[in-house]
Amino acid sequence: VRKGLNELKGQPGWVAISGMAAIGKTTLAIDAVNDEVIIKSFPDGIIWQNIGPLGVSPGGENSLLQKMKEICLMLDETSSQLVSQLFSIKSCKNALNKIIHKFPSKRILIVLDDVWDEFVTEAFDINCLIMLTTRDKMCIYSDCSTNVCEIEVKVGLSELQCSELLAKWLGDGEILKMTEVKHLISKCHGSPLAVNIVGAIKKYNPQVTWSNIEDRLCQIDGRKMSKLKYKDSINSTIELSIEYLSEADRDRYINLALFSQVGCQQFQKEIVAFFWDLDIFDTIFTLNNLVNKSLLSYNSGFELWSLHPLLNEFINEKQEDAFKYHRLIVYKFNELKLAEEGQKLSNYKYEFLANHMAKATLWEERHQLLTNILWIKSKIKFSGPANLIADYELADQKLSEDQNAEQEIFRSTIRRLCANLTGTERCDIIQVGLMAPKTSGFYKKSREFAVQELCNDENKLYFDLINSMNRTRDETDETLSIKLLKDYETRLT
């Protein structure tokens, strides 16, 4: 992996790590980029983004769009205004290429972890070096014009490699000669994650004997270690590592599953502190403790924490009554005063609050939110209409027939009128609402806001198309609609 990165540095291309689930692709990638030579090869940053299975999830393409926008901001912090107006994967791909072209001398590596879908690699066919991990070889975008270095991981680590990995944790190679240590290593079945967790347990709990670790693994799994399969060994070591946490930290760790349940794969300390109800210093201390125990990954360049896909899958299975915790988060946001939010909490709220409401089965409250003009206006300003449209398109909403019809008018009107806007054009949601059917709640609420804003600001200008119901919607109407949605100066012209 390191050889491929060194050979391709300074030019666009792909370093692709493929292999079956749980074989250690992510751990291998982390180890590769933590090398001092690799870090020096990419002095302007290594950007890590967890992807996951987007093709099978509702709003998968919108989730990819949000991840691409995050990378845009990581590459160029001054691009926030541009990013807020990116409404499609194509426009985001163009923006990424522009940002990279803007800084031709920068040496950057983008890592896409756990890629499942071909459209992800097509979206990232940009002028940059990218490393990805995938369990599907079809995701390796070999049709592009750039170089491709593929590394296939067919089996786990050898026992010698496992021993070397464990020695890094212990700082003592002699201990690996002990028979009980060799026996335990053999039962990790070549899983880097399993070896890392065992090493973390021993390093931070030196009073625990090797035989105690093996005995606990046997008790957890309920079978003899000799019968453990590859993934069984990983699950057993994960559970054992979690058992060694304090009760409070154990509960906090399990509840990190809430992030992935709403589509958030990387989290900031401010959001975790809000979730855990801790001050920022205790939050950082706890997060770092989990990193030290190989239960979390940390991107120091951007201060983002994330869960290995297997760890994420494990704690999702362990969490009980998730809807109660999602409900608690919704209530915490409702009680939070605007002045106390801060930019990061505000951004998180606009992107994920509707998803938390869905997981909490708060359908009535969610409907009120998605038909609130002020909320819609703020959300579109933050993330553009694509994220909002995905909220409306959530399957299995428990709503009345009238509520479903009202949301459909919001969704279809915003989708029809805003989808044609380019990445540099704004979307005025009040003007959008004025172009909805005259009998709809969307139109009536928008008209009330328009009248109110005209009273407060003489420079405002809105159009109410009084004859729109008498005409068929053709290309001319669409062109007029787009013109009316742009900024005030455009409308006046």
Side-chain angles (χ1 to χ4, degrees):
V1 175
R2 289 171 182 157
K3 181 181 178 183
L5 291 172
N6 279 317
E7 287 179 353
L8 295 179
K9 68 180 179 182
Q11 55 185 314
W14 300 85
V15 176
I17 306 172
S18 64
M20 61 175 275
I23 205 164
K25 299 182 296 295
T26 298
T27 307
L28 183 63
I30 291 171
D31 195 46
V33 298
N34 280 334
D35 178 66
E36 186 176 344
V37 175
I38 296 299
I39 293 172
K40 288 181 179 179
S41 297
F42 301 97
D44 297 303
I46 297 174
I47 298 175
W48 188 287
Q49 182 67 277
N50 294 91
I51 303 297
L54 302 178
V56 295
S57 60
E61 289 197 10
N62 179 64
S63 180
L64 175 60
L65 175 62
Q66 298 309 312
K67 295 174 189 295
M68 294 177 74
K69 290 165 79 169
E70 289 174 12
I71 293 176
C72 284
L73 289 173
M74 292 177 187
L75 289 171
D76 182 10
E77 293 180 354
T78 66
S79 65
S80 56
Q81 185 174 356
L82 168 65
V83 169
S84 67
Q85 301 303 316
L86 298 176
F87 304 148
S88 68
I89 290 176
K90 182 179 179 180
S91 64
C92 214
K93 179 178 178 179
N94 292 336
L96 279 169
N97 272 318
K98 286 180 181 178
I99 291 172
I100 292 169
H101 183 71
K102 181 180 175 182
F103 305 105
S105 62
K106 275 194 173 184
R107 284 185 288 169
I108 297 167
L109 172 65
I110 297 175
V111 184
L112 306 178
D113 185 35
D114 196 28
V115 175
W116 288 53
D117 308 288
E118 291 179 63
F119 68 81
V120 173
T121 44
E122 291 172 6
F124 280 96
D125 181 21
I126 57 179
N127 192 34
C128 183
L129 179 58
I130 296 177
M131 180 167 75
L132 66 87
T133 69
T134 181
R135 62 187 67 184
D136 185 356
K137 282 188 175 183
M138 294 299 293
C139 292
I140 300 173
Y141 194 50
S142 57
D143 292 337
C144 62
S145 57
T146 52
N147 302 304
V148 178
C149 174
E150 181 185 351
I151 299 97
E152 184 177 3
V153 186
K154 296 183 178 179
V155 295
L157 301 179
S158 67
E159 290 195 13
L160 176 60
Q161 290 170 320
C162 287
S163 299
E164 292 172 349
L165 185 57
L166 190 58
K168 289 183 179 181
W169 281 99
L170 306 177
D172 181 7
E174 291 299 314
I175 202 170
L176 301 176
K177 297 178 181 179
M178 296 171 57
T179 303
E180 56 188 350
V181 177
K182 290 181 179 180
H183 185 63
L184 184 57
I185 287 174
S186 70
K187 302 310 175 185
C188 288
H189 293 277
S191 163
L193 181 60
V195 176
N196 275 333
I197 290 175
V198 168
I201 291 172
K202 186 63 178 175
K203 179 177 180 178
Y204 295 103
N205 302 276
Q207 74 280 4
V208 180
T209 66
W210 295 107
S211 58
N212 282 342
I213 294 176
E214 183 172 348
D215 288 344
R216 285 300 297 126
L217 288 173
C218 291
Q219 292 170 22
I220 290 169
D221 193 76
R223 299 187 296 271
K224 290 183 178 180
M225 284 291 285
S226 60
K227 294 183 179 179
L228 280 177
K229 294 181 181 178
Y230 187 87
K231 193 168 182 179
D232 294 329
S233 67
I234 297 173
N235 287 340
S236 297
T237 49
I238 292 172
E239 186 161 353
L240 180 60
S241 188
I242 293 174
E243 276 193 6
Y244 276 98
L245 297 174
S246 67
E247 185 176 354
D249 283 353
R250 195 181 309 139
D251 291 339
R252 291 176 186 132
Y253 182 66
I254 295 297
N255 284 333
L256 289 177
L258 298 173
F259 285 107
S260 65
Q261 290 168 12
V262 296
C264 178
Q265 303 299 332
Q266 299 182 96
F267 28 91
Q268 299 165 310
K269 57 182 182 292
E270 293 84 359
I271 313 302
V272 178
F274 178 73
F275 275 35
W276 285 350
D277 202 19
L278 292 176
D279 64 46
I280 200 70
F281 299 105
D282 287 340
T283 299
I284 293 173
F285 178 83
T286 304
L287 288 170
N288 288 340
N289 185 40
L290 294 171
V291 171
N292 290 336
K293 290 176 167 52
S294 290
L295 292 172
L296 275 183
S297 298
Y298 177 54
N299 185 327
S300 59
F302 301 99
E303 287 194 291
L304 291 170
W305 285 262
S306 61
L307 283 158
H308 185 286
L310 289 175
L311 292 167
N312 187 43
E313 179 184 332
F314 182 86
I315 64 175
N316 267 281
E317 292 174 356
K318 289 295 179 183
Q319 190 182 49
E320 298 177 355
D321 299 328
F323 81 96
K324 293 182 180 178
Y325 293 101
H326 285 290
R327 188 162 291 196
L328 178 62
I329 290 169
V330 173
Y331 293 153
K332 281 169 68 73
F333 269 116
N334 289 341
E335 293 170 1
L336 191 65
K337 295 179 181 178
L338 190 62
E340 299 172 346
E341 274 189 6
Q343 187 62 45
K344 290 178 180 177
L345 263 182
S346 182
N347 290 351
Y348 184 89
K349 178 182 71 174
Y350 286 121
E351 186 163 0
F352 297 110
L353 181 57
N355 294 351
H356 281 295
M357 286 181 162
K359 294 295 182 181
T361 65
L362 295 171
W363 301 114
E364 185 66 35
E365 292 87 342
R366 190 175 187 273
H367 172 72
Q368 292 174 8
L369 186 75
L370 295 182
T371 55
N372 182 304
I373 298 296
L374 286 177
W375 169 266
I376 295 171
K377 189 176 181 180
S378 298
K379 176 147 184 166
I380 283 187
K381 182 180 179 181
F382 162 68
S383 61
N387 187 274
L388 178 64
I389 291 169
D391 289 341
Y392 293 121
E393 293 177 342
L394 181 71
D396 301 325
Q397 295 188 71
K398 305 298 187 292
L399 299 173
S400 68
E401 188 174 337
D402 288 343
Q403 289 173 328
N404 276 319
E406 183 177 11
Q407 280 200 24
E408 174 56 24
I409 289 176
F410 275 86
R411 185 202 68 80
S412 60
T413 306
I414 293 171
R415 187 182 187 92
R416 177 172 65 87
L417 297 181
C418 297
N420 293 325
L421 292 176
T422 67
T424 58
E425 295 166 348
R426 297 183 180 276
C427 179
D428 188 328
I429 196 61
I430 295 177
Q431 183 63 67
V432 172
L434 288 172
M435 303 168 83
K438 295 290 187 287
T439 57
S440 68
F442 193 7
Y443 170 80
K444 293 174 181 177
K445 292 177 181 178
S446 298
R447 197 175 195 286
E448 288 177 7
F449 271 92
V451 171
Q452 183 180 344
E453 288 202 8
L454 289 170
C455 292
N456 297 330
D457 186 354
E458 63 180 10
N459 290 322
K460 286 287 182 181
L461 176 64
Y462 291 108
F463 288 90
D464 191 356
L465 306 183
I466 58 175
N467 64 336
S468 61
M469 296 293 288
N470 301 323
R471 302 174 62 197
T472 58
R473 183 165 55 83
D474 55 24
E475 186 178 356
T476 304
D477 290 322
E478 285 296 313
T479 304
L480 174 61
S481 300
I482 298 305
K483 289 180 179 179
L484 296 187
L485 297 181
K486 295 183 182 180
D487 291 340
Y488 165 75
E489 290 81 4
T490 305
R491 277 186 231 153
L492 189 60
T493 302

